[in-house]
Amino acid sequence: MLMRIIKRLSPALSELIPLLGRYRRRLLIGCLWLLLTNLTASGIPWILKSGVDSLKTEPSQRIVLLHAGAIILAAVIGGYFLFLMRRWLIGASREMEFDLRNRFFSHLQTLSQDFFLRHPTGDLMARATNDLSAVRDVLGPGIMYFLNTIASVSMALVLMFRIDPMLTAVAVLPFPILAFAVQRFAVTLHIRSRDVQDQFGVMNNMLQEDLSGIRVIKSYVKESQEQELFARLNEDYRDKNLSLIRARALFFATMALLVGVGQLILLWLGGIRIMGGQISLGGFVAFNGYLALMTWPFIALGWVMAMVQRGEASMARLAEIINATPTIISPPSAHHSRTTHGELVFENVSLVYPGATHPSLEDVSFTIPTGATVAIVGRTGSGKSSLIRLAVRLFDPTKGRILLDGIDLKEWDLASLRKKIGVVLQESFLWSDTLAGNLRFADPEAAEEDLDRVSALARLDKDMNQFPEGWETRVGERGVTLSGGQRQRVALARALMKPPPILILDDTLSSLDNITQAEILSNLDPIKGNQTLVLISHRISLIRRAETIFVMDRGRLVESGSHEELSDRGGTYSQLIRRQTLLQQLEADAFPEEAS
């Protein structure tokens, strides 16, 4: 029944029905304690009725003590049942929150790159924290107070009817007005709750970006500007919250007014019926006790409605992520292979990014042979990074296809494919962990000997004496305590923990001096026989080592050949070489001490 009510009242919250079904046993046990809690609470006014009426016929201390003891006993038993009710119902909500948070995070891991281009990190963090907490409030206090309202009001009405049916009929008169008020306020609360949650996501996103880019902010002395921008966003968040609070306050005040007016009418009418002998004094005391028991549940009902509106807005935001489908997936009969030769073929490949109007790649065709060392060069924006994203299936080509060992990438199992192709970027991401923790991300079982081995290959061993705690030295958020060259070498060492058949170095050695760069490439030569190496760089000293160089320009492959062939051809590659040589000469003339 509860499931049907939720589905009817809130389509967004109906997403939680399977989760509620999974914990139905705990919820049912909690409901049992809830019923017992209300039974004991309903018994206290009846004990008062009996006591007051008994004092009228037999006024004695024994009667007072007897009924007082009964009230205390009922209160103690009721308190114990209340403890069990909250333990089971609120505890179940925490378990459901745990499952929902895991589901949210796990689903994020499956989504494709284009999804993260459309959703800022700060907004996703707001959904995983603030929105999820609001949904948990519905699953815990929301369900508990809603069921408590039904149970307590039902019991109170039955017992009030036994005392005086006419007074009970008058007591329920405000209910239709109350229902109308709830319905009127529901829409306003929903809209304002959604505005609050959306604004929190915007503010959270700015905070996340500013903390990540704090060095840039300080470098440009933009602290005051960012403070002012954040203050404006925070002011909007405050104003939206105040607007929501005003609506809630008016909601609660309206309900309290209706309840107060109802009590005033009942006090007047009840007094007349006592004087007329239609109801005893004890019965009227008990009647008011039951009316008081009904007052809090109806006030709580307003709180629950506000909570549900906020939770519905939050669940809608969570469902938008949970129901998002990845655009890059493994096919039903995906190809797996333990052995990979490492031949990569691009056949008439074009790429237009989602939302873009111009292609980033257009009709690109080339072959990277097994075990070869090739280089890809080109100006900024020529399409080099797009080739990498396609190679590991972060995106699929708009036209054409890409083959690994003669098999279309779309036919490969995604996990298997990405284990075959390792990519080390210029701006490599490091975890806020130890050096060892960052390397073991690729192989959690790696021994210290393995760390030393890849460290030597990436020439990270040259700097080990600078790390006070050796492999247990923490590198800070995103590797902030390391230099650019050290970060690049840590990322390269991580990729070499389990050398993939194809290794792509995207300007990975750009922060290193020529000597260290040459040492690393020499270390990679013994591996190269079993590995295809793709170098993306602007340095002549690096790309001239490649057997074949592919030259990109404005999304097209314009030249290919060896360094000597392309240099003599006088085309785009030759222009790039001359421009780089000229820049190096200008730097040498401007800083002769460094050049020497």
Side-chain angles (χ1 to χ4, degrees), residues 205-245:
N205 186 60
M206 182 199 169
L207 180 61
Q208 187 269 335
E209 288 184 341
D210 275 23
L211 291 177
S212 299
I214 190 66
R215 285 178 292 178
V216 177
I217 293 172
K218 289 185 176 295
S219 298
Y220 285 89
V221 198
K222 294 295 184 180
E223 293 93 337
S224 298
Q225 176 179 311
E226 293 302 300
Q227 289 169 12
E228 291 175 4
L229 178 57
F230 184 80
R232 287 198 296 271
L233 293 177
N234 199 18
E235 184 178 1
D236 289 342
Y237 181 63
R238 179 202 64 191
D239 292 343
K240 286 179 169 60
N241 263 302
L242 290 175
S243 177
L244 178 59
I245 289 169

Side-chain angles (χ1 to χ4, degrees), residues 367-386:
T367 298
I368 302 176
T370 300
T373 298
V374 303
I376 302 175
V377 300
R379 299 182 180 90
T380 301
S382 60
K384 304 187 298 296
S385 296
S386 295

Side-chain angles (χ1 to χ4, degrees), residues 275-294:
M275 290 184 290
Q278 289 95 350
I279 183 174
S280 68
L281 180 60
F284 185 68
V285 170
F287 194 95
N288 278 278
Y290 290 123
L291 192 61
L293 285 179
M294 292 176 59

Side-chain angles (χ1 to χ4, degrees), residues 366-419:
F366 63 83
T367 298
I368 302 176
T370 300
T373 298
V374 303
I376 302 175
V377 300
R379 299 182 180 90
T380 301
S382 60
K384 304 187 298 296
S385 296
S386 295
L387 291 174
I388 296 172
R389 294 183 184 121
L390 291 176
V392 292
R393 275 204 81 194
L394 293 179
F395 293 90
D396 281 333
T398 308
K399 291 197 312 184
R401 63 177 187 161
I402 306 169
L403 309 175
L404 174 60
D405 293 345
I407 301 171
D408 194 323
L409 295 190
K410 294 181 181 179
E411 299 178 15
W412 278 83
D413 174 74
L414 268 180
S416 180
L417 169 67
R418 289 170 180 171
K419 287 178 181 178

Side-chain angles (χ1 to χ4, degrees), residues 25 33 41 210 255 276 294 300 307 406 420 443 552 558 564:
R25 178 178 173 273
W33 297 124
D210 275 23
M255 288 197 302
M294 292 176 59
M307 188 185 298
K420 310 296 183 188
D443 183 7
M552 300 292 298
V558 293
E564 291 75 16

Side-chain angles (χ1 to χ4, degrees), residues 23 83 144 152 174 185 199 245 315 319 435 500 513 550 575 585:
Y23 287 91
F83 164 75
M144 184 179 70
S152 61
F185 277 102
Q199 184 64 22
I245 289 169
M315 190 60 216
L435 285 169
D513 58 79
F550 299 105
Q575 294 174 12
Q585 185 59 51

